[in-house]
Amino acid sequence: MEMRQHQLHQFPIHYYPRLQIRKLLFYGVHEKAQKDIFSSLDVVINGETKTFNWINVTNPSFYPQISVIDLDADGEDEIVIVLTKGAQ
């Protein structure tokens, strides 16, 4: 099974010092068998990588959307990632 890694999005969030994140990167793992879908996503925060079994379409117009917001009003920002699976 051929696997390739593609950079999806580079989002420096130096505007949010409370998160102590200098750089946030996404990489999509693309298996040849699933030509239109990234089969998993690697999230890299300040050089540390974590792989998630999330899927997203490979079309650059629909790459993950990233927001930083205090969702629960606790005074700390959260990172929100919106994915697009496509129509089934």
Side-chain angles (χ1 to χ4, degrees):
M1 176 184 332
E2 180 184 334
M3 308 246 310
R4 296 177 292 162
Q5 191 178 61
H6 300 276
Q7 184 170 351
L8 293 181
H9 193 74
Q10 181 174 349
F11 186 73
I13 53 175
H14 56 273
Y15 304 107
Y16 302 96
R18 290 189 309 216
L19 288 175
Q20 298 180 359
I21 295 176
R22 294 182 308 279
K23 186 182 272 189
L24 174 63
L25 300 170
F26 282 86
Y27 295 93
V29 178
H30 185 216
E31 297 179 21
K32 194 173 186 179
Q34 296 178 322
K35 65 178 182 173
D36 297 331
I37 298 287
F38 289 111
S39 59
S40 65
L41 295 175
D42 293 341
V43 178
V44 183
I45 299 176
N46 294 337
E48 291 189 37
T49 303
K50 182 162 183 175
T51 300
F52 294 91
N53 290 326
W54 299 338
I55 62 171
N56 200 85
V57 295
T58 57
N59 182 334
S61 297
F62 299 101
Y63 280 173
Q65 298 298 306
I66 305 162
S67 300
V68 178
I69 189 168
D70 183 3
L71 288 172
D72 53 8
D74 65 354
E76 294 186 26
D77 289 334
E78 287 80 34
I79 300 171
V80 177
I81 304 166
V82 178
L83 305 174
T84 303
K85 290 174 51 174
Q88 303 251 356

